[in-house]
Amino acid sequence: MKQYLNRLVLSWRQWNAMERMVALASLAVLSLAAAASHADPGDFQAMPGLWKITTRSFDHGHAGSEQTRWHCVDEGPDPWLEFADLPGPVQCKRSGELRRSTALAWTLTCPGMSPAAAHGRVDFDSPEHYTASVKLQGHDVVQVEGRRYAACTSAND
């Protein structure tokens, strides 16, 4: 190993400035690629169990009453079905889905609205808590908070 490092250092000294810049740029690109690949979208970081989901809808900026439901999430579910199934405008279609290890984001295509005027997002600040929202033209339509409380006691919970 020491012999290999000595040859590498000797090679580095023999390279001109352009070769060194290309090598450093290549290392930077590889480092960024490694960091990006660390957040495996297949490894979504939400814990299974009994979740309390609190939803609040907004109409022209006015908050409606809170709706609470309890939901049992099994291991290995599709996070798009379990956590990003938020109420929103019925006429809008979800697209442009982006999944990371602690977040889900999407755009909504709605009739009569410019593209990207509507979007939704779910963000986990821990494996047991998340906040979510759907926005139209920068205004909240739905806000959701989910908190895991316990393990589920049976498959029918």
Side-chain angles (χ1 to χ4, degrees):
M1 178 73 166
K2 184 176 181 182
Q3 203 173 27
Y4 174 74
L5 288 174
N6 285 337
R7 279 190 293 177
L8 185 63
V9 168
L10 182 59
S11 295
W12 177 263
R13 289 180 184 156
Q14 293 173 347
W15 289 353
N16 65 32
M18 182 59 126
E19 289 171 325
R20 288 180 183 174
M21 284 180 22
V22 168
L24 288 174
S26 298
L27 281 174
V29 168
L30 290 172
S31 297
L32 289 173
S37 68
H38 184 267
D40 179 10
D43 184 24
F44 198 70
Q45 298 295 318
M47 288 185 66
L50 183 61
W51 286 79
K52 178 183 178 185
I53 314 297
T54 306
T55 304
R56 181 174 295 240
S57 296
F58 292 81
D59 186 16
H60 294 87
H62 299 287
S65 62
E66 285 186 352
Q67 304 292 320
T68 300
R69 70 180 175 99
W70 293 87
H71 179 65
C72 192
V73 176
D74 297 331
E75 284 189 38
D78 182 353
W80 287 107
L81 299 174
E82 296 295 330
F83 299 105
D85 185 23
L86 304 179
V90 177
Q91 70 275 18
C92 299
K93 303 275 188 240
R94 188 164 71 187
S95 64
E97 297 172 338
L98 177 63
R99 179 167 131 176
R100 295 201 171 108
S101 61
T102 60
L104 303 167
W106 61 94
T107 56
L108 294 167
T109 305
C110 306
M113 288 186 151
S114 65
H119 62 276
R121 185 162 184 90
V122 177
D123 288 296
F124 280 81
D125 55 18
S126 79
E128 297 183 351
H129 181 262
Y130 71 89
T131 56
S133 64
V134 173
K135 294 181 183 253
L136 293 177
Q137 298 177 331
H139 300 286
D140 282 327
V141 176
V142 175
Q143 288 180 347
V144 177
E145 180 179 22
R147 185 174 305 278
R148 182 188 179 276
Y149 277 83
C152 295
T153 55
S154 77
N156 297 326
D157 283 347

